[in-house]
Amino acid sequence: MTNTLHRYGSGESFSDDYIVFAIPARGFNDNGAVEKLRQFLEIARKYKPVNMGDASHGSIFRPSKELNPTVHWRRDLSRDFDSVVSSVSCTTTVAAVFDNQDQAVAFIQELKEADLGLSINISTALDKAQQCARRAGVERHSVEYSLGFFGQTDRMADRHTLELSTMCGHGMLSFDFVRKLVEWVKQGRRTPEQASATLARFCSCGVFNPTRACRLFQESKGPSSSLMK
């Protein structure tokens, strides 16, 4: 399974959100898995992913130990692909995130040819996952999806906050933190790109989609958007 199942939004909102995972099974196909996982990431780099990560060591958006109050206005937004690839050192889950279907399909096609012997998981809207598989010449053998939220949903956060915070399936993006960044973007204190990179650093497994986040931040600036239901 994948915690990206719980990404919140309409089917149309995932038109720029495609996550491809590689997952070895311990005791079954984990022999030599480290090199295979690195190969997966190296292949992914060729197709310009917007994020990429190793669940054990982090994503291309790296935190820094050398921070001070002025860093928020001059933070380096560059993405560290090399560190993600080189840091894979154990059996883990790796992922690559794409913001368009063509690149995701091309990546899956090359993965099929590489035949790494690992489980490959495509996470996006159901119809888009089917399109990716068919275009890549792969017949999917199983489908898993989230049934959504139940209970006192009136106590949940607003739509914009949920769409942004649930892009980290491990719950590392608090609602209040997301609301704060949405407000800063509205006030012009941060650009959508800066706010997206800030959130991406907290998603250590690398499945946060900064392209989708930029779009959502931009939409939140519109006259019809609100932080309250």
Side-chain angles (χ1 to χ4, degrees):
M1 67 159 292
T2 167
N3 49 38
T4 58
L5 290 173
H6 304 296
R7 269 160 144 79
Y8 186 85
S10 64
E12 293 74 21
S13 73
F14 298 106
S15 60
D16 53 2
D17 193 38
Y18 299 85
I19 310 105
V20 184
F21 293 90
I23 310 171
R26 292 185 180 181
F28 181 72
N29 63 350
D30 57 342
N31 187 28
V34 170
E35 285 305 315
K36 293 177 181 179
L37 293 172
R38 288 178 178 170
Q39 187 178 350
F40 171 96
L41 294 172
E42 287 289 7
I43 295 172
R45 290 181 68 174
K46 294 161 51 176
Y47 299 98
K48 302 185 184 332
V50 295
N51 201 357
M52 196 169 79
D54 157 13
S56 299
H57 298 96
S59 74
I60 60 176
F61 294 89
R62 295 277 162 162
S64 173
K65 294 181 180 180
E66 300 178 359
L67 301 179
N68 59 61
T70 66
V71 75
H72 299 292
W73 287 268
R74 57 177 181 79
R75 189 74 181 261
D76 183 7
L77 299 182
S78 61
R79 305 175 184 191
D80 191 351
F81 289 91
D82 291 334
S83 292
V84 171
V85 177
S86 63
S87 65
V88 178
S89 58
C90 60
T91 300
T92 185
T93 299
V94 295
V97 183
F98 300 90
D99 60 6
N100 74 77
Q101 189 177 109
D102 290 341
Q103 288 173 324
V105 169
F107 175 46
I108 296 166
Q109 286 175 328
E110 184 162 347
L111 284 179
K112 180 184 177 183
E113 295 171 1
D115 193 16
L116 299 177
L118 303 174
S119 174
I120 302 299
N121 188 325
I122 305 169
S123 182
T124 182
L126 281 175
D127 60 332
K128 294 176 176 58
Q130 178 75 308
Q131 291 167 11
C132 284
R134 287 179 174 172
R135 289 182 60 192
V138 177
E139 189 62 38
R140 65 183 186 185
H141 60 74
S142 58
V143 177
E144 187 174 24
Y145 56 91
S146 171
L147 295 178
F149 300 101
F150 294 86
Q152 293 179 299
T153 56
D154 58 311
R155 303 185 65 179
M156 293 171 59
D158 60 278
R159 177 175 63 85
H160 284 297
T161 301
L162 284 172
E163 287 177 327
L164 287 162
S165 65
T166 56
M167 277 199 283
C168 177
H170 290 109
M172 302 301 290
L173 302 177
S174 74
F175 294 156
D176 285 342
F177 184 42
V178 170
R179 290 189 184 105
K180 176 180 179 179
L181 287 173
V182 170
E183 278 298 325
W184 280 6
V185 170
K186 286 182 175 181
Q187 296 166 5
R189 298 173 64 184
R190 296 291 183 278
T191 65
E193 291 76 18
Q194 290 171 328
S196 298
T198 297
L199 290 179
R201 292 188 190 98
F202 287 85
C203 181
S204 58
C205 58
V207 299
F208 186 88
N209 186 332
T211 299
R212 182 171 183 248
C214 281
R215 175 172 56 77
L216 294 173
F217 275 119
Q218 194 64 44
E219 290 175 1
S220 73
K221 295 170 63 176
S224 62
S225 66
S226 172
L227 290 180
M228 301 297 292
K229 286 186 175 181

